Amino acid sequence: MAYESPHETIASDKFSESGLYVPEFLKAPDKISNISETKEYDIVVIGAGAAGIPRALAAQQAGAKVCLLQKEKSAVSQGNSGSGVIYERSDPQAVEALIQIIQKGNTHRSNRKFVEKWAKNSGEAINWLIGEAEKAGAQIKNQGSGPQHLTELNGGHVEFVTSFFGPKPYDTGSGMRDLAKYLEKEGVEIFYNTPGVQLAKEGDKVVGVIAHDKEADKYIQFNGTKGVVLACGDYQNDEQMVRFYVPDIMNFDRKQLNKTGDGHKMGLWAGGVIEPLNHTKMLHDFDAGPASMCDFPFLVVNEEGERFVNEETQMSLMNNYTRQEKRTGWYSQIFDSKYMEETVGWPGKAVNPKDLEVWMPDVDMKERPAVFGDLVRTFRCDTLEELADKLEIPKDAFVATVKRYNEIVKSGVDEDFGKDSKFLTTVDTPPYYGIHRHLRVSAVCSGLVINEDYQVLNKLEGEPIEGLYAIGNNNAGFYGGVDYPLDVFGLSLGRCNTEGYLVGKALAAK
């Protein structure tokens, strides 16, 4: 008996007697006994990222003795923006409508109480984080409701706070590293190159974590009298876990490194349960061209130069149409010189031709502000044939696709894919533009089952495992859909920041 995957054939000895595939990560390892040293704290946080850093800082400020363990040599996070709702300046009916939109984006499989907790506490959390980041000397600003489009709902107003660590190449990871330095000055002990590997228990209670000091090659037990918090990030780089929980991303390239589900595994081995739903995947590309134009329903072609989808499909869902074996996740948005006038009222914001040049590798620039220079892939050409060459797609097929698309536009009816006629615009006036997007895995947003206090629940009775908490992408219940919803700009980081803030304050108060 064998299970075929894009990566390997799983041998028959990996199956149980009942015929079910049992991956190695489900099996708890032997208890580590050669512990060289034990350290005592009120709270132990595992993972120095967008959830763990705020968690440690909030607890320390509330008077707790905190230590922070980090697998890498520095703090790690991604992205730029984190969103929150300023609840006291918003209309309740509008906030409830926003929660419903997020629920719908999660295909109604998330725990509404978790989303509501974010909506009613995130404004306080994000404003606090912005203030602390400013004290730490981080490059951060409050963009308010500027990047958001869900501000007027159900006859009321939603007021947002949106943190922005930037501009690129400075990002949230850079900000967390600045905050980590600030944390140490404030009294938090941070242990880098020291990954948590196994939770320590007394009976059913988690009392600490055994970590591996990679530099000294020894095991240290860090005890937390008030709790141990898992904030280790996702598992996108553990192929076994990906194959088991979210196999449809297996052929996609990964944005992150060393995200191997350490927190998921430790929680599982300690008696927790990993979310028994499909796991939510996040794939996008905000670097090849402007993020504000990623959902513009321009003509879209695949790597064969052919149209393949109704272009009203959001970028967050486009991975479902680009799972081809070769060049997985690649596609191109195509438009012409009329785009500034023709995209008025479209979902997003057009960048003018001059400013668009920062995303064009063919335009010689000494500096490329606010972008990652090695990831820009926007091209401008005088002919379609030249554009095809730049996009590395077949010329004949591409020219034929544009010809057919222009015919559809002129007819006023999309008989091929059913796109709304208000988004049908010809591609016939040079120069021609193409944004060559490459979808990669940003995160897998699913983890251990928790209660409303972020306590990890056990797999038998669904009761809290005393002493163990999970936040950010180590926990389950906030999402639940197949794909991460992009309705609220910066929701992922905003949720991680908020959970860290809330748990930090609550545990310190125990």
Side-chain angles (χ1 to χ4, degrees), residues 270-290:
V273 59
I274 295 177
E275 189 169 24
L277 295 174
N278 64 268
H279 287 187
T280 301
K281 52 187 165 51
M282 181 196 298
L283 297 93
H284 53 61
D285 177 1
F286 297 144
D287 297 308

Side-chain angles (χ1 to χ4, degrees), residues 109-220:
R109 300 181 81 181
S110 57
N111 185 325
R112 192 181 191 282
K113 291 181 179 179
F114 293 163
V115 181
E116 187 176 64
K117 200 163 187 175
W118 165 81
K120 294 184 177 180
N121 295 278
S122 54
E124 177 185 335
I126 303 302
N127 272 318
W128 166 81
L129 181 63
I130 291 171
E132 296 304 314
E134 289 174 342
K135 294 177 188 175
Q139 293 176 208
I140 191 169
K141 62 181 178 180
N142 181 2
Q143 294 183 322
S145 296
Q148 310 292 343
H149 68 278
L150 296 176
T151 56
E152 306 303 321
L153 300 170
N154 198 25
H157 176 71
V158 180
E159 185 73 18
F160 285 91
V161 52
T162 307
S163 63
F164 177 76
F165 287 97
K168 295 176 181 178
Y170 193 97
D171 62 4
T172 299
S174 310
M176 291 302 114
R177 287 185 282 278
D178 284 337
L179 275 164
K181 296 173 185 175
Y182 176 65
L183 276 178
E184 291 183 297
K185 292 178 181 178
E186 292 292 299
V188 174
E189 291 189 69
I190 303 180
F191 296 83
Y192 292 110
N193 295 308
T194 308
V197 293
Q198 191 175 92
L199 294 171
K201 297 181 72 176
E202 292 180 359
D204 293 331
K205 180 181 179 180
V206 170
V207 296
V209 60
I210 300 168
H212 181 217
D213 181 337
K214 292 190 289 186
E215 293 180 357
D217 192 22
K218 66 179 182 179
Y219 289 106
I220 303 173

Side-chain angles (χ1 to χ4, degrees), residues 31-96:
K31 184 177 180 180
I32 296 171
S33 58
N34 56 330
I35 297 169
S36 300
E37 184 181 359
T38 299
K39 294 177 178 290
E40 304 290 338
Y41 298 89
D42 294 329
I43 300 166
V44 178
V45 183
I46 311 170
I53 292 285
R55 162 72 190 80
L57 180 56
Q60 187 276 336
Q61 289 182 342
K65 182 182 180 183
V66 183
C67 83
L68 180 61
L69 307 182
Q70 173 64 347
K71 181 179 185 177
E72 313 292 351
K73 63 181 180 181
S74 65
V76 174
S77 189
Q78 300 78 36
N80 295 90
S81 299
S83 61
V85 173
I86 304 178
Y87 190 71
E88 62 274 16
R89 288 166 53 186
S90 301
D91 294 312
Q93 76 273 21
V95 175
E96 294 302 321

Side-chain angles (χ1 to χ4, degrees), residues 235-298:
Y235 59 81
Q236 62 181 274
N237 302 120
D238 187 300
E239 292 300 320
Q240 198 176 74
M241 293 185 74
V242 167
R243 184 187 304 114
F244 193 72
Y245 290 114
V246 58
D248 46 348
I249 69 169
M250 289 183 67
N251 284 333
F252 287 88
D253 292 334
R254 313 293 198 259
K255 282 191 175 183
Q256 319 307 337
L257 299 172
N258 220 15
K259 297 292 183 72
T260 50
D262 302 357
H264 296 69
K265 295 169 189 172
M266 285 189 283
L268 180 69
W269 300 334
V273 59
I274 295 177
E275 189 169 24
L277 295 174
N278 64 268
H279 287 187
T280 301
K281 52 187 165 51
M282 181 196 298
L283 297 93
H284 53 61
D285 177 1
F286 297 144
D287 297 308
S292 65
M293 295 171 66
C294 72
D295 285 334
F296 274 5
F298 293 128

Side-chain angles (χ1 to χ4, degrees), residues 378-397:
T378 298
F379 302 96
R380 179 174 58 200
C381 299
D382 292 329
T383 69
L384 293 173
E385 289 81 2
E386 289 176 309
L387 185 58
D389 283 340
K390 293 293 184 181
L391 298 172
E392 301 180 33
I393 58 179
K395 293 180 189 178
D396 292 345

Side-chain angles (χ1 to χ4, degrees), residues 460-476:
L460 296 177
E461 296 86 16
E463 294 295 324
I465 298 174
E466 188 178 356
L468 185 60
Y469 300 78
I471 56 178
N473 288 333
N474 266 168
N475 72 29

